Amino acid sequence: MKTIYNLVVKDIIRFLNDKPAVLLTFIVPMVLIVIFGSIFGGSGSPRGKVNIILVNESNTPVSRILEARLDSAKSLRIVKKYLPENGKDSLKFTETVAKEYVRTGKISAAVVMPEDFFTDTSAALKFKFYYDPKNEIESSIIQGQMQQTIMTQVPRLIPFLMQRRAIDFIGNDSTAMFAQSLGGILETYFDVPADSFVQSLTKIDTTELTQTVADDSSEENQMFGNFVKFESEQLVGKEVSNPGLTRSVGGWAIMFLLFSLTGAATSLFEEKQEGTLKRLLCMPVNRSQILWSKYIYTMSLGVVQLFVLFVFSWLFFGVDVFSNLPNLFVVVVASAAAAVSFGMLITSVAKTINQANGISTLVILVMSAVGGSWFPVTLFPDWMQAISKVTLTYWSVEAFLQVLWRQAPFTAIIPNVLILLTFAFLINAYALVRFKNGKVF
Amino acid sequence: MLKINHIEKTFDNLVALANVSLNIEKGEFFGLLGPNGAGKTTLMNIIIGYLQPDIGTITVDDEIIMYEDLEMRKKIGYVPQDISLYLELSAYQNLIIFGKLYGLGKNELESKIDEVLELVQLTDRKKDLVKEFSGGMKRRLNLAVSLLHDPQILLCDEPTVGVDPQSRNAIFDMLTKLNQKGKTILYTTHYMEEAERLCSRLAIIDHGKIITQGTLLDLINQLDQKETIKIQKTAHTKDKIDSINNLGHVTEYDFYYELLPKEENSQHSTIFKHFETLNIPSQFIEISRASLEDVFLNLTGRSLRD
Ligand SMILES: Nc1ncnc2c1ncn2[C@@H]1O[C@H](COP(=O)(O)OP(=O)(O)OP(=O)(O)O)[C@@H](O)[C@H]1O
Ligand SMILES: [Mg+2]
């Protein structure tokens, strides 16, 4: 026991003397947490707006109201003018200039409402959307925002356009008849005056389309507004002060664990190279004591590393690590155990330190990508989600989500913890067999 | 005190040790001389319980040393052939780490560290990182680490390899001092000069077999010729080598030929007469007593350095 303790102390002394290792173990994770914490708005600053050019060449009330609404959209910053190269006065964007701006990467997207955006006979709104897919998230934000603006700001437009479609297909008379009978039904059962409904459907006066926005309480408007009704309530993470980081910190944690603990385990190779492993084995120290000390040392290193990481996330980004502390600790220990076993496996199968480093870096990166350290696995295709489940990263990430994000009780993490510990046990057993026949000792 | 009984060890198909038996008495400075790959390190590894022999036993004070016998290792100090130190740490940190593993208490360890540092003359460098040490300093520290627990038996596996003459002499003096204080030393080397200078008794090992053992005088007395004749290599003597060959067994070295004269030529007068007729001036001739080199040559037909 004393011997194992002395061996652990030896590893700690060596670790502390190795400044780059200390840096990699503690500082690099912190830096990355700062970067990601800031991306997810952790420090409380609002997320940046997406810049977008808007060219309105149409002169209809609908386009004008959309323009006004987009102007005030929360996640977009609308740009309409530009400064020509040799001019001093800024000019309004034209479609051609806007396209050039997107093509040369000066802006990520442009929305054009052309002259025929909405005419007397249009059965659809005609937008032109130019974008550079270098950032898909940006494109989706823009498109989503556009749709949302149309749906919420000019809700009557939709049935109106549907009506025009109907006329295109079945002719004026049949459409009018359909509207009449629908109006009748509505009047009977919903107490909506049939006339006003029919009128609102068939009215060709487009100026009224926009007025309804100001007059939100009009019966028809409410009627249409009620066709689709979302009642959304956030059930999880409502009180979480930094949702983005809280969700992702577990993924980073297990990745750092894998890297640092594999490094610590493969230090057996360094000791072999330096000859100190042999010297130890010629002293009153045996092989299993050396292995035990490596386990204890790497486990403790992992726990300390994650402790520092979590306290840092809490201090600077308000990630709540304390209200579920005992369960968090259980997950940390189980994850560290799994990571250590992975490191031991690598150490026992590799023949040299370089081999060990190469293999472990590759496997850790793949496991982190597939197991959900970087992106939620729910984004993956089904077959890949199936593969995720054989990585220890997946079970660790899920367990961290449970305790940090859902603030789940111990019972909820039992399966994950058991799976991680089983991973650890089986891999270790295999590594031990390999050590017996291997080249390390 | 240290008995090696019929040890055999085979790696795959290579016989590293074949029926090796040695008996090293308390207080002896015992040398094990042999060329590269003779099996010296393998024997050391078996004595310390790092390797398991296929056959045979090792006893210390009539107690058998088992494989991974941790208690027994406290009685033995082992100086590995390769430098085995934490290069990124200071000399002092190395001594602390290894000393603790021998179970030394804090105060005992501190005073022991001072003592061994004094012995290997590294006291003023103890705070420096080992990787900044010269080859000779590393060797000395490598030895110092093995002395911390004050072992009764010291196994030194080629402790002077790659060391400058000054450090080498320092190591010789240290070991002699330790031996005088009563430590039993088993010393392996492939330098016959070291074995001759240091060891009170020695064995020669070749291809895993002990080919002879005894005191230096015993071994040399086995030879028919107790003297060798060295002929300096010069432009003048070089063309005469064929004729010299007729006088006895000639071995060529970098700077001289060594002649073991035939029985009929063993008289100095006869041999000098031969040289005279060959027109080799006596300035180029040196007569010296036979060395372990000659013993090895006599027994194996090869030179130690081949
Ligand atoms: N672990 C091993 N596996 C296979 N062969 C080995 C092993 N260790 C030693 N040998 C072989 O056993 C023989 C004896 O090796 P050993 O290291 O004991 O020689 P040595 O006398 O110490 O040589 P040197 O003077 O070069 O140190 C050599 O042929 C070596 O190749
Ligand atoms: Mg050797």
Side-chain angles (χ1 to χ4, degrees):
Chain A
M1 213 47 230
K2 187 91 195 292
T3 305
I4 294 176
Y5 167 80
N6 283 326
L7 288 169
V8 172
V9 170
K10 171 218 45 161
D11 278 330
I12 294 173
I13 295 178
R14 294 188 62 214
F15 174 73
L16 294 179
N17 260 273
D18 188 355
K19 297 290 179 302
V22 177
L23 210 71
L24 280 174
T25 308
F26 296 112
I27 310 296
V28 170
M30 283 182 198
V31 170
L32 286 176
I33 290 291
V34 168
I35 294 172
F36 285 95
S38 312
I39 290 175
F40 293 123
S43 49
S45 61
R47 189 209 270 134
K49 290 187 171 192
V50 177
N51 290 324
I52 171 176
I53 297 176
L54 183 72
V55 182
N56 185 358
E57 289 171 347
S58 151
N59 200 16
T60 59
V62 181
S63 67
R64 253 177 275 129
I65 190 134
L66 279 179
E67 185 179 335
R69 293 301 154 183
L70 286 173
D71 271 341
S72 54
K74 260 191 298 182
S75 52
L76 301 178
R77 181 180 295 120
I78 302 292
V79 187
K80 293 179 198 164
K81 291 186 174 162
Y82 70 102
L83 200 65
E85 262 171 39
N86 41 15
K88 38 186 176 357
D89 298 324
S90 51
L91 300 175
K92 259 193 132 153
F93 269 109
T94 62
E95 186 175 345
T96 335
V97 179
K99 273 163 86 175
E100 194 51 35
Y101 263 61
V102 175
R103 194 171 292 126
T104 53
K106 289 182 187 144
I107 201 149
S108 22
V111 170
V112 177
M113 295 190 265
E115 269 179 74
D116 57 348
F117 168 71
F118 182 69
T119 64
D120 285 351
T121 55
S122 296
L125 296 181
K126 185 170 172 189
F127 285 100
K128 287 182 182 170
F129 184 56
Y130 299 111
Y131 68 101
D132 171 358
K134 68 177 177 199
N135 185 338
E136 303 218 355
I137 296 176
E138 256 176 23
S139 308
S140 342
I141 289 177
I142 296 166
Q143 294 188 17
Q145 186 69 48
M146 302 277 304
Q147 278 164 11
Q148 190 198 353
T149 311
I150 295 168
M151 293 289 268
T152 57
Q153 298 309 318
V154 273
R156 289 194 54 192
L157 202 56
I158 308 297
F160 181 80
L161 291 172
M162 280 165 64
Q163 179 73 9
R164 281 198 174 167
R165 274 260 142 116
I167 292 171
D168 276 357
F169 275 114
I170 56 175
N172 243 325
D173 292 348
S174 314
T175 311
M177 260 167 65
F178 173 74
Q180 284 289 344
S181 39
L182 189 61
I185 293 169
L186 284 175
E187 190 171 55
T188 320
Y189 295 101
F190 292 96
D191 201 20
V192 174
D195 284 350
S196 76
F197 175 76
V198 173
Q199 239 187 26
S200 75
L201 269 188
T202 50
K203 201 156 35 186
I204 298 299
D205 179 8
T206 53
T207 51
E208 285 216 357
L209 279 177
T210 56
Q211 285 166 11
T212 53
V213 175
D215 186 11
D216 252 351
S217 57
S218 88
E219 272 170 9
E220 308 94 287
N221 199 42
Q222 283 205 335
M223 172 82 215
F224 287 116
N226 284 346
F227 271 162
V228 179
K229 206 158 189 184
F230 274 107
E231 235 174 65
S232 57
E233 187 186 346
Q234 187 181 359
L235 294 178
V236 177
K238 232 192 269 187
E239 273 103 57
V240 173
S241 57
N242 190 332
L245 191 59
T246 305
R247 275 190 306 251
S248 56
V249 70
W252 295 108
I254 178 71
M255 187 175 82
F256 297 138
L257 260 191
L258 281 168
F259 271 117
S260 62
L261 300 199
T262 305
T266 53
S267 66
L268 266 177
F269 276 113
E270 282 160 41
E271 293 207 50
K272 184 187 158 83
Q273 236 161 26
E274 285 182 322
T276 46
L277 187 62
K278 179 174 177 193
R279 185 187 281 274
L280 291 176
L281 289 171
C282 293
M283 293 172 60
V285 174
N286 61 30
R287 287 160 173 85
S288 52
Q289 285 170 332
I290 290 184
L291 279 181
W292 273 111
S293 74
K294 276 288 173 213
Y295 278 115
I296 293 172
Y297 159 68
T298 38
M299 278 289 285
S300 334
L301 180 67
V303 172
V304 171
Q305 183 190 25
L306 288 203
F307 178 78
V308 171
L309 188 74
F310 283 129
V311 166
F312 183 80
S313 311
W314 164 71
L315 267 181
F316 292 91
F317 297 103
V319 172
D320 179 10
V321 294
F322 292 109
S323 53
N324 206 1
L325 194 60
N327 290 332
L328 179 63
F329 184 74
V330 171
V331 174
V332 166
V333 170
S335 301
V340 173
S341 70
F342 174 77
M344 287 298 183
L345 177 71
I346 296 284
T347 309
S348 69
V349 296
K351 294 202 170 61
T352 63
I353 180 92
N354 290 333
Q355 238 184 43
N357 288 340
I359 301 174
S360 63
T361 307
L362 182 74
V363 178
I364 293 172
L365 289 180
V366 170
M367 280 208 297
S368 302
V370 176
S373 266
W374 301 341
F375 333 99
V377 288
T378 43
L379 294 180
F380 299 166
D382 285 348
W383 60 270
M384 212 196 239
Q385 292 199 24
I387 298 179
S388 314
K389 296 200 172 62
V390 300
T391 64
L392 51 89
T393 302
Y394 173 84
W395 298 101
S396 172
V397 168
E398 291 297 309
F400 277 120
L401 266 183
Q402 290 281 11
V403 293
L404 288 174
W405 175 244
R406 298 203 184 86
Q407 298 285 334
F410 181 66
T411 47
I413 53 170
I414 290 177
N416 297 56
V417 168
L418 280 183
I419 288 173
L420 284 171
L421 292 180
T422 311
F423 257 118
F425 181 79
L426 292 179
I427 297 175
N428 273 327
Y430 181 68
L432 280 184
V433 172
R434 297 281 321 203
F435 274 129
K436 283 237 157 69
N437 316 315
K439 292 249 181 275
V440 179
F441 288 124
Chain B
M1 166 163 222
L2 173 63
K3 280 198 185 122
I4 296 159
N5 309 309
H6 308 290
I7 293 287
E8 297 205 16
K9 177 78 189 176
T10 311
F11 294 112
D12 302 320
N13 288 321
L14 188 133
V15 179
L17 292 174
N19 196 9
V20 170
S21 294
L22 294 171
N23 189 355
I24 296 152
E25 300 294 338
K26 190 170 167 55
E28 257 192 321
F29 202 132
F30 194 95
L32 187 60
L33 178 68
N36 288 133
K40 304 183 294 291
T41 302
T42 306
L43 183 61
M44 291 286 201
N45 285 339
I46 290 172
I47 296 174
I48 198 71
Y50 173 76
L51 285 181
Q52 227 167 351
D54 299 336
I55 302 177
T57 53
I58 309 281
T59 60
V60 170
D61 293 335
D62 298 324
E63 265 185 85
I64 292 185
I65 302 189
M66 308 301 283
Y67 173 64
E68 291 209 333
D69 189 335
L70 304 191
E71 270 314 301
M72 210 50 109
R73 284 182 189 167
K74 291 185 180 166
K75 292 189 184 171
I76 304 178
Y78 174 49
V79 188
Q81 177 171 359
D82 303 313
I83 305 271
S84 319
L85 300 165
Y86 293 110
L87 302 180
E88 304 293 331
L89 302 183
S90 70
Y92 180 75
Q93 281 173 315
N94 270 280
L95 289 164
I96 286 278
I97 285 173
F98 290 118
K100 275 191 185 158
L101 286 168
Y102 276 115
L104 299 180
K106 199 172 167 13
N107 293 335
E108 194 187 359
L109 181 57
E110 288 290 344
S111 69
K112 210 62 206 169
I113 286 177
D114 288 344
E115 190 186 318
V116 296
L117 279 173
E118 197 61 46
L119 183 74
V120 299
Q121 298 159 18
L122 284 174
T123 308
D124 49 337
R125 300 297 302 264
K126 72 174 187 181
K127 297 272 182 235
D128 295 347
L129 297 187
V130 175
K131 65 174 173 191
E132 291 160 3
F133 278 16
S134 73
M137 287 158 74
K138 282 183 200 152
R139 279 275 161 210
R140 268 144 51 199
L141 185 62
N142 202 36
L143 200 140
V145 170
S146 313
L147 294 172
L148 283 171
H149 60 302
D150 207 3
Q152 300 159 30
I153 300 174
L154 191 60
L155 309 176
C156 299
D157 197 355
E158 308 203 24
T160 59
V161 171
V163 161
D164 58 289
Q166 191 191 343
S167 280
R168 194 173 170 175
N169 270 319
I171 291 176
F172 290 166
D173 290 345
M174 269 161 45
L175 291 177
T176 311
K177 221 182 281 172
L178 287 167
N179 180 239
Q180 279 162 0
K181 281 194 201 149
K183 294 214 188 305
T184 308
I185 298 178
L186 174 58
Y187 185 100
T188 76
T189 179
H190 60 260
Y191 297 120
M192 56 124 187
E193 298 89 343
E194 290 190 357
E196 287 179 352
R197 161 161 177 192
L198 294 170
C199 306
S200 51
R201 217 153 58 87
L202 46 95
I204 296 180
I205 184 169
D206 186 42
H207 292 310
K209 289 198 194 78
I210 302 289
I211 51 177
T212 185
Q213 56 177 308
T215 61
L216 179 60
L217 212 60
D218 290 342
L219 298 190
I220 287 176
N221 281 336
Q222 293 172 8
L223 292 171
D224 297 335
Q225 285 84 23
K226 277 94 190 161
E227 286 175 343
T228 62
I229 297 159
K230 284 181 186 164
I231 303 135
Q232 204 179 333
K233 258 189 194 174
T234 66
H236 183 72
T237 52
K238 257 179 121 174
D239 356 313
K240 310 257 161 74
I241 187 64
D242 286 340
S243 323
I244 300 173
N245 256 324
N246 295 330
L247 305 176
H249 184 103
V250 177
T251 322
E252 185 172 349
Y253 293 95
D254 290 349
F255 297 104
Y256 58 89
Y257 302 104
E258 190 178 68
L259 171 68
L260 275 178
K262 287 181 196 152
E263 190 70 50
E264 70 249 35
N265 298 329
S266 59
Q267 293 289 321
H268 289 184
S269 52
T270 356
I271 202 91
F272 272 95
K273 218 173 271 165
H274 279 295
F275 286 135
E276 222 165 291
T277 47
L278 285 172
N279 212 0
I280 297 173
S282 60
Q283 288 90 324
F284 294 160
I285 297 163
E286 179 190 334
I287 297 181
S288 54
R289 62 162 182 82
S291 68
L292 287 174
E293 182 72 48
D294 306 310
V295 175
F296 189 81
L297 184 74
N298 184 44
L299 289 169
T300 65
R302 290 178 292 118
S303 145
L304 253 180
R305 263 147 239 203
D306 285 346

